[in-house]
Amino acid sequence: MSTDDGRTPPPPPSQPAAEAAAAAPMTDPDNTGVPTSTGGDLGDASVGFIRALFDISFRTFITRRLASAFYVVGLIAIGIAFIVYFVGGLISGISGLWWNVGAGLSLIVTTLIVVPIAAFLAVVVLRFAIEGVVALIAIAENTERTAENTRRD
């Protein structure tokens, strides 16, 4: 059987897609050396992580595994900075009321407006930066996987 342009269509697959997917070996999509399954010993995962951490050839990436930890640490740092600047601005504004009422009120109002906006923007920038790094790592992993598949042909 041929198509209108004279080419022969490819033969149908030998097995259904569900059977082929079930028979395919499970691989780690992150390629970090850390097992993706929840089964097994917890020590196995830490050994894989430590091995990936000290891989001096940089064949394995740990950035995707640590992105959430970096995000939490960044959020904590932004939260601490928010509290320090917010409380500091209010205290400075209140103490400024004694020597200049207009300056004290200006500082209080500015603190109430600027510090929350700056903290929000800092969270957005932090999220963008971490997502950008994770996306670059994913691109590198996918490019490496594509190159490996191309070399096999």
Side-chain angles (χ1 to χ4, degrees):
M1 177 176 174
S2 64
T3 59
D4 293 339
D5 60 357
R7 294 183 299 177
T8 305
S14 60
Q15 62 183 355
E19 289 178 17
M26 295 298 291
T27 58
D28 184 8
D30 292 340
N31 194 23
T32 59
V34 179
T36 56
S37 67
T38 56
D41 188 18
L42 185 59
D44 295 340
S46 64
V47 169
F49 176 77
I50 297 297
R51 187 177 302 131
L53 184 63
F54 292 108
D55 175 23
I56 59 174
S57 66
F58 288 93
R59 287 260 188 231
T60 55
F61 298 107
I62 62 169
T63 309
R64 294 175 89 179
R65 300 283 183 184
L66 294 178
S68 59
F70 286 136
Y71 188 61
V72 168
V73 169
L75 287 177
I76 290 170
I78 291 169
I80 290 170
F82 172 78
I83 292 169
V84 167
Y85 283 108
F86 194 78
V87 171
L90 291 179
I91 290 172
S92 296
I94 292 170
S95 66
L97 289 173
W98 296 107
W99 56 271
N100 187 341
V101 176
L105 286 176
S106 300
L107 189 54
I108 291 171
V109 170
T110 303
T111 299
L112 291 173
I113 295 171
V114 171
V115 173
I117 291 173
F120 175 76
L121 291 176
V123 170
V124 170
V125 168
L126 174 68
R127 182 68 186 210
F128 283 173
I130 291 175
E131 283 183 3
V133 170
V134 168
L136 284 174
I137 297 299
I139 290 169
E141 289 173 345
N142 291 336
T143 303
E144 182 180 345
R145 198 171 308 130
T146 301
E148 286 175 5
N149 291 336
T150 304
R151 281 180 273 200
R152 292 182 188 157
D153 292 340

